[in-house]
Amino acid sequence: MRKFLAPSILAGDWWNIGEQIEATLRGGADLIHFDVMDGHFVPNITVGPEILGYISRRVDVPIDAHLMIEDPDRYIPEFVRAGANWVSVHIENVVHIHRTLTLIRELGAKAGVVLNPGTPLSAIEEAIHYADYVLLMSVNPGFSGQKFIERSLERLSLLRDMRDRLNPDCLIEIDGGIKEENIAEVIRAGADVVVVGSGIFSAEDVESRTRKLKELIFSATAV
Ligand code: DX5
Ligand code: ZN
């Protein structure tokens, strides 16, 4: 299965966000991960569809919108209209998950379902049948720069088994605390899409850090 590196631009320097995004693209970024927070579902506030539009009009790679907001159905059409190609919602705050994932797909985007670190994998055993990807959080959502929760490795391999059994086409994405030191491990445990925020944007040279992470993904996949 193809592997993807998705820089989380929340961790970037927003004074120079355009340049920073371009540096990740030169380094081989496959997706742009766009974190949307509303100050209710998570204790932080970030950006919305207008800002996403500025980015989607300038970049060719897909935009992966991670919605950490209450009542996501209300905003999904706007995000897709603004250029989100992948849209994910949290299982913890969506009551009618079939309806929400179907809505995303009908609008023409890939539909993802997200699990917080404390949510049992069994919570998505049904939704995985109609999801294009599952996003496993390896930190509690809200902020970049947090420490990777080690149990996520075991959860990743259990999720991979579930995926292979129930929906082999579904991708597995992991998000939070991933850096040069542990990126190979998450690939080997089953991740197809790896989100990296501070592990990219803390670098002096964002382009070469991105390239380095892609190489690490490549060699972990080759083994
Ligand atoms: C956390 C966000 C993540 C975060 C990743 O709520 O969903 O995408 O920005 O940043 P790092 O890689 O620094 O943990
Ligand atoms: Zn995210």
Side-chain angles (χ1 to χ4, degrees), residues 89-91 94-102 112-113 126-127 130:
V89 295
H90 276 254
I91 192 73
V94 174
V95 182
H96 305 289
I97 190 69
H98 178 269
R99 174 183 291 155
T100 303
L101 294 176
T102 305
V113 58
E126 183 53 35
Y130 34 83

Side-chain angles (χ1 to χ4, degrees), residues 146-207:
Q146 303 181 79
K147 196 174 167 324
F148 183 83
I149 298 172
E150 285 299 325
R151 249 198 69 74
S152 311
L153 287 174
E154 194 184 329
R155 279 163 64 77
L156 258 182
S157 46
L158 293 170
L159 178 58
R160 174 170 53 185
D161 294 345
M162 187 198 289
R163 184 273 309 273
D164 292 349
R165 195 162 38 88
L166 301 178
N167 181 2
D169 294 330
C170 181
L171 295 170
I172 298 177
E173 180 170 11
I174 181 116
D175 183 7
I178 296 151
K179 320 215 166 287
E180 281 174 275
E181 297 79 62
N182 58 0
I183 195 163
E185 264 180 311
V186 300
I187 291 289
R188 287 195 294 263
D192 305 302
V193 185
V194 184
V195 177
V196 182
S198 50
I200 286 181
F201 294 101
S202 64
E204 205 58 61
D205 183 342
V206 166
E207 178 181 340

Side-chain angles (χ1 to χ4, degrees), residues 33 35 66 68 135 137 175 195:
H33 184 82
D35 288 301
H66 173 192
M68 289 159 274
L135 168 48
M137 290 307 298
D175 183 7
V195 177

Side-chain angles (χ1 to χ4, degrees), residues 197-217:
S198 50
I200 286 181
F201 294 101
S202 64
E204 205 58 61
D205 183 342
V206 166
E207 178 181 340
S208 50
R209 175 67 61 83
T210 308
R211 190 167 297 120
K212 175 78 194 296
L213 290 165
K214 283 278 291 196
E215 283 163 15
L216 290 167
I217 291 177

Side-chain angles (χ1 to χ4, degrees), residues 58-76:
R58 295 297 189 97
V59 308
D60 292 331
V61 301
I63 313 272
D64 164 29
H66 173 192
L67 304 187
M68 289 159 274
I69 58 176
E70 281 180 4
D71 197 8
D73 290 25
R74 190 171 149 199
Y75 300 98
I76 285 166

